[in-house]
Amino acid sequence: MKWTDFFIPTTKEVPADAVVPSHQLMIRAGMIRQITAGSYAYLPLGFRVMQKITLIVREEMDRAGAVELGMPALHPVELWEETGRVDAMGETLIHLPDKSFRKGTVLGPTHEEVITDIARAYLHSYKQLPINFYQIQTKFRDEARPKSGVLRTREFLMKDAYSFDIDQEGLDASYDKMFAAYCRIYQRSGLPYFAVQAESGAMGGSDSTEFMVISDAGEDILVRTEDGAYCANLEKAEPAPLPEPGCDQQQALEEVHTPGNTTIEQVSSLLGCRPADMIKTIIFQDDDKPLVALVRGDHTVNEAKLARAAGVSSVEAATPSQISQWTSADVGFAGPVGLDARVIADQAVTVMHNAVTGANKTDYHFKGVNAGRDFEIKESADIRYAEEGDRATTGQALIFEKCMEVGHVFKLGTKYTAAMKANVLDQNGKARPMIMGCYGIGLNRIMAAAIEASHDDGGIIWPISIAPFSVLIVALDVRDENVMAVAQDLHDTLSESGLDVLLDDRNERPGFKFKDADLIGVPIRVTVGKRGLADGIVEVKQRRNEQVNKVAPDQAAKAVRDLVEQERGLPAS
Ligand code: ATP
Ligand code: MG
């Protein structure tokens, strides 16, 4: 492919809202163009990368035994009503105006409902299972804040797969296959990733793994040990229990006047204690009954962990009037002493001594509060978020890093099949809902994550597997016939051996062309110029390092192929 026949509108102009490197570089390299907020056109260079990623994903899905199909983006809203997800999706679900279609229609943000509708139409016996359907298709989500270029958009390409099994063992096997396929996809795409235990919703039981790439552009937090032996997302991360500090003498319980001081900060500064010396009492409601969480004043309650500890599907904050009624005090003065409610204390609270906490009396707190003497801890669990300074249960320090989710595998169970009555007959002729898993991977995010993970000041450094071209031949002196003949010959030879080659035949200054070469990040560059040819050489260089290899023109193809092998991580032939 000749540059002048192709279309790469590189530019220095970067919009002010492009702050993350992948967004800036994709625009500068002429790969994408924003059409409206959260919706991008993929220009030819960007499109080629998407195609390469798509191919890898498709190959690995096929290898794992999944079968590809195509589902529509237009969904009848009734399918979403069957599973109750119209509400659950909220604003994210894009509804088309009623008048466009006879019945309500939405744009698919994901396809559990549609695939389950297909499954219930065709799958009737355990003998047809297991089966894993996948598609590579555009999703629509009205994200509240589309941002960071193609990392979070309203329209994006996802590979989504859905497995159907007759029993839990079947699901486990389907899930393991997808897990392995995902690892291969990221490895092949050259992405340094972490497979992270994720929160799978309350009640627990089912596995869920998020695949994360470390990046400042990410919106999630990865919590891990230095050696990576432990990693979890922040929602799920479990800090080791805090050690018993060894008690100074137990102080007497003392009521102190704290008028108008309702926050941890206010009370700790008024009483001259640290937030860590306070017990934070947070009141939730469970079916109009109080459910009270106790965490250390400097810790944050994790509602998903609390719900799991309480054995409920989710927790809901109590209203101010409920709080006043249950604590006999205004909001801001609750505490565990004398409180008649179900209380779950965080593990860190169980090792506190002489704590400060609300007195269940407006404008009063207690000092010298000790569990066991002043109130009883009947239930304790890990119900807080891990924090800097926490350790893993192995004793290693926990590290917190920003990351982005590039994929997710999830054991769904019978949530959708039960709601939509997608039953099959089991070995005993009994109808039961199929057991589902779902597996999603964001293709655009893989592209952006690869750039986030691999770039320098000059531009992108593509992993060769997803690079738009593997080789860039930069012809200097394009009006020199000999230069163009050598460049074209090399282009043809390499192309014939199956490599995708771009030939920069633009009549521009060398510096300008080298800048563009670095920007678009093609892994291997060959420079053919008049002066070099006079000396009997062309220059071969990898984008990822500065080293320039000078080789005779007739050795260039071999030199390039060796570097391609090296870039592919295989031993050079
Ligand atoms: P996030 O928490 O980032 O919103 P999600 O949990 O909503 O992601 P899933 O519904 O599991 O994501 O979708 C599967 C994959 O699709 C994600 O792992 C991600 O790679 C990709 N993805 C999700 N939302 C977007 C988006 N708005 N733009 C681009 N890719 C997305
Ligand atoms: Mg989302």
Side-chain angles (χ1 to χ4, degrees), residues 298-311:
D298 58 333
H299 288 159
T300 307
V301 68
N302 177 324
E303 295 186 9
K305 287 183 179 179
L306 175 66
R308 190 153 1 96

Side-chain angles (χ1 to χ4, degrees), residues 166-436:
I166 189 67
D167 52 24
Q168 189 63 35
E169 294 73 54
L171 171 62
D172 293 346
S174 298
Y175 178 91
D176 290 348
K177 275 191 204 161
M178 284 295 104
F179 188 103
Y182 275 40
C183 294
R184 288 184 57 91
I185 288 169
Y186 301 121
Q187 271 157 15
R188 285 186 60 187
S189 308
L191 267 189
Y193 70 98
F194 286 92
V196 173
Q197 298 171 28
E199 185 53 61
S200 50
M203 313 308 264
S206 78
D207 287 319
S208 166
T209 302
E210 287 169 356
F211 293 86
M212 297 290 196
V213 174
I214 305 282
S215 162
D216 280 341
E219 295 173 64
D220 293 304
I221 305 282
L222 177 69
V223 182
R224 66 177 179 103
T225 51
E226 178 77 48
D227 62 2
Y230 179 81
C231 61
N233 73 13
L234 183 59
E235 280 294 311
K236 181 99 174 183
E238 290 163 4
L242 296 184
E244 176 72 46
C247 180
D248 325 331
Q249 238 188 339
Q250 277 197 356
Q251 294 163 4
L253 184 69
E254 186 190 341
E255 190 178 271
V256 285
H257 194 213
T258 52
N261 289 263
T262 56
T263 65
I264 295 286
E265 290 67 34
Q266 288 168 342
V267 177
S268 59
S269 76
L270 180 76
L271 300 182
C273 66
R274 299 170 309 160
D277 298 324
M278 297 187 61
I279 298 174
K280 195 159 34 174
T281 306
I282 304 147
I283 304 188
F284 295 89
Q285 55 163 318
D286 175 26
D287 253 352
D288 287 337
K289 288 195 301 291
L291 171 66
V292 177
L294 303 181
V295 292
R296 217 171 71 177
D298 58 333
H299 288 159
T300 307
V301 68
N302 177 324
E303 295 186 9
K305 287 183 179 179
L306 175 66
R308 190 153 1 96
V312 297
S313 58
S314 64
V315 295
E316 198 183 329
T319 63
S321 73
Q322 283 175 318
I323 294 172
S324 306
Q325 188 196 331
W326 292 331
T327 66
S328 322
D330 287 353
V331 174
F333 300 96
V337 180
L339 191 62
D340 180 19
R342 180 177 180 194
V343 177
I344 301 181
D346 181 62
Q347 182 278 332
V349 171
T350 65
V351 295
M352 289 175 74
H353 299 288
N354 299 324
V356 172
T357 188
N360 299 320
K361 182 172 163 187
T362 301
D363 290 344
Y364 286 91
H365 279 76
F366 280 131
K367 274 166 64 169
V369 176
N370 286 280
R373 183 191 68 185
D374 304 318
F375 71 100
E376 203 186 333
I377 296 181
K378 291 197 186 120
E379 292 181 70
S380 81
D382 168 27
I383 56 166
R384 68 176 175 99
Y385 284 96
E387 298 197 344
E388 296 281 353
D390 275 321
R391 293 184 173 274
T393 45
T394 54
Q396 290 166 284
L398 289 175
I399 304 169
F400 294 71
E401 286 164 302
K402 282 178 101 178
C403 64
M404 67 177 88
E405 181 193 316
V406 288
H408 193 180
V409 292
F410 194 85
K411 290 184 184 171
L412 283 175
T414 55
K415 178 173 171 181
Y416 297 95
T417 47
M420 296 179 67
K421 299 194 178 54
N423 296 322
V424 292
L425 296 180
D426 69 11
Q427 292 87 332
N428 303 316
K430 191 167 167 281
R432 47 162 142 161
M434 289 175 278
I435 303 185
M436 273 177 86

